[in-house]
């Protein structure tokens, strides 16, 4: 049985994630009290209903003081040899505050923070530090639209989430910030830039004209070869440590040309090894270099 526990910061997209999980066949339960996790797990396990074999539950600080019992429940699951994965959704404070202003929602911790959403966000982050450290999957939604978050959920969980480690190859633009969830980061700003070629400027690394331009240079081929060699060496080490998700980020200035090209090369190589791998081009649709 697959059992995914979704948690994270309020406003980071847990509702969107849960809806996405539901769309790909998971039986979803929102706002379950942490102390009920072992009981619910056992009920699902004993059920003859095939829908109850892929479960996603959301538990977070809306449970109030009861949320403190989360680790006791997780310990009980481990003691009973019940397998589960934790998905943690994160976003930076400025983004969370903006989302609360736009939706006019009240933060679950507002009352104990005297109505201050800023204090509530900081407090929640402190309360969730241990949970985030224990998470199998961490997704930062700061720069993700809802459609992109749905795509990430689908790519992570459409297959069997219990099948070892999932590798995510991600392109990004440094001008928009480093991906917070990245485990390995490669900087390809040293490679020839199609942005300065007039006929390629408005295209992206998803198109063959840009891909072929970048990969015609010996420095690009050499960089790709060495990047792949390091990744090939590192992946078994991460896997032996029991890591469930490995995020490899490749960045250029704007996340449209060089990073997308090298990410495609890396993704194709890992795909050919038989490893479970997904690809995500975070900033390819944004304007700029």
């Amino acid at each position: 049985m697959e059992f995914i526990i979704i948690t994270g910061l309020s406003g980071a997209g847990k509702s969107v994630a849960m809806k996405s999980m539901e769309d790909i066949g998971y039986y979803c339960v929102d706002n379950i009290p942490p102390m009920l996790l072992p009981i619910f797990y056992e009920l699902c396990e004993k059920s003859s209903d095939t829908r109850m074999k892929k479960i996603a539950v959301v538990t977070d600080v809306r449970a109030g003081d009861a949320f403190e019992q989360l680790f006791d429940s997780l310990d009980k699951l481990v003691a009973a040899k019940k397998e589960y994965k934790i998905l943690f959704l994160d976003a930076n404070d400025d983004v969370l505050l903006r989302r609360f202003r736009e939706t006019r929602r009240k933060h679950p911790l507002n009352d104990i923070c005297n109505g201050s959403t800023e204090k509530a966000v900081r407090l929640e982050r402190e309360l969730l530090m241990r949970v985030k450290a224990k998470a199998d999957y961490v997704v930062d939604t700061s720069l993700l639209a809802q459609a992109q978050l749905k795509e990430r959920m689908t790519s992570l969980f459409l297959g069997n989430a219990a099948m070892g480690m999932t590798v995510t190859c991600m392109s990004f633009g440094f001008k928009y910030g480093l991906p917070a969830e990245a485990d390995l980061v490669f900087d390809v700003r040293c490679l020839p830039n199609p942005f300065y070629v007039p006929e390629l400027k408005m295209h992206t690394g998803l198109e063959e004209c840009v891909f072929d331009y970048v990969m015609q240079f010996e420095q690009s081929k050499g960089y790709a070869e060495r990047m792949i060699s390091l990744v090939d060496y590192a992946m078994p080490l991460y896997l032996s440590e029991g890591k469930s998700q490995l995020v490899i980020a490749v960045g250029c200035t704007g996340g449209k040309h060089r990073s997308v090209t090298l990410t495609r090369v890396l993704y194709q190589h890992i795909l050919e090894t038989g490893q479970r791998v997904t690809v995500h081009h975070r900033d390819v649709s944004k304007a700029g270099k």
Side-chain angles (χ1 to χ4, degrees):
M1 184 176 74
E2 293 182 49
F3 196 88
I4 312 297
I5 300 170
I6 303 174
T7 190
L9 291 157
S10 301
K14 294 189 295 292
S15 297
V16 175
M18 186 179 66
K19 177 61 178 174
S20 303
M21 300 290 277
E22 193 173 63
D23 289 344
I24 59 176
Y26 282 78
Y27 184 89
C28 299
V29 178
D30 187 23
N31 200 17
I32 187 170
M35 74 285 287
L36 295 183
L37 287 174
I39 299 171
F40 184 63
Y41 192 112
E42 188 173 350
L43 289 173
C44 294
E45 200 171 38
K46 291 180 178 178
S47 175
S48 59
D49 190 337
T50 56
R51 295 177 302 169
M52 306 299 283
K53 301 309 176 186
K54 295 178 68 174
I55 308 296
V57 299
V58 175
T59 186
D60 53 34
V61 297
R62 288 175 294 172
D65 293 339
F67 187 69
E68 297 177 3
Q69 300 179 48
L70 175 61
F71 281 95
D72 288 339
S73 292
L74 296 180
D75 288 342
K76 289 178 181 178
L77 290 175
V78 172
K81 297 183 179 180
K82 308 294 186 184
E83 295 186 359
Y84 65 87
K85 300 289 186 183
I86 298 176
L87 166 66
F88 189 94
L89 295 177
D90 199 358
N92 66 53
D93 290 0
D94 290 341
V95 170
L96 294 174
L97 292 171
R98 173 174 56 78
R99 289 175 181 172
F100 276 105
R101 285 195 300 269
E102 290 175 350
T103 61
R104 298 184 180 180
R105 288 175 52 211
K106 179 181 177 183
H107 193 285
L109 300 180
N110 259 26
D111 289 343
I112 63 174
C113 291
N114 299 317
S116 171
T117 304
E118 290 187 20
K119 290 181 180 178
V121 169
R122 287 198 298 269
L123 175 60
E124 184 179 29
R125 192 175 294 282
E126 292 175 9
L127 294 173
L128 295 177
M129 283 180 63
R130 285 180 62 204
V131 185
K132 182 178 180 181
K134 192 176 178 65
D136 299 282
Y137 307 95
V138 176
V139 176
D140 188 296
T141 69
S142 301
L143 297 173
L144 298 183
Q146 286 193 11
Q148 290 177 305
L149 177 54
K150 290 179 180 178
E151 181 184 335
R152 287 295 302 279
M153 293 301 97
T154 300
S155 63
L156 281 175
F157 298 108
L158 187 58
N160 186 346
M163 290 176 57
M165 183 174 70
T166 298
V167 179
T168 298
C169 298
M170 177 189 299
S171 67
F172 74 95
F174 278 95
K175 67 187 294 185
Y176 302 111
L178 282 166
E181 67 267 46
D183 299 293
L184 292 173
V185 177
F186 292 97
D187 183 351
V188 298
R189 289 176 292 184
C190 56
L191 301 181
N193 192 353
F195 180 81
Y196 297 109
V197 179
E199 59 267 28
L200 298 177
K201 178 177 180 179
M202 302 309 295
H203 294 275
T204 76
L206 294 174
E207 299 169 85
E208 295 311 307
C209 57
V210 171
F211 183 94
D212 292 343
Y213 174 85
V214 173
M215 295 310 299
Q216 72 177 316
F217 296 98
E218 289 302 319
Q219 52 263 55
S220 298
K221 296 174 184 175
Y223 195 109
E225 179 182 341
R226 290 162 176 80
M227 176 177 65
I228 286 171
S229 178
L230 176 58
V231 169
D232 282 346
Y233 179 79
M235 279 199 303
L237 302 180
Y238 282 110
L239 188 59
S240 67
E241 287 294 310
K243 194 169 180 61
S244 297
Q245 177 186 225
L246 177 66
V247 179
I248 306 171
V250 182
C252 62
T253 305
K256 291 182 63 177
H257 300 108
R258 294 164 292 179
S259 61
V260 176
T261 297
L262 271 292
T263 297
R264 286 180 58 191
V265 172
L266 181 62
Y267 168 74
Q268 185 61 39
H269 169 77
I270 297 175
L271 187 66
E272 291 171 357
T273 68
Q275 174 68 47
R276 188 164 181 251
V277 60
T278 67
V279 64
H280 174 59
H281 300 293
R282 193 190 72 178
D283 302 322
V284 71
S285 62
K286 294 183 173 70
K289 295 183 182 180

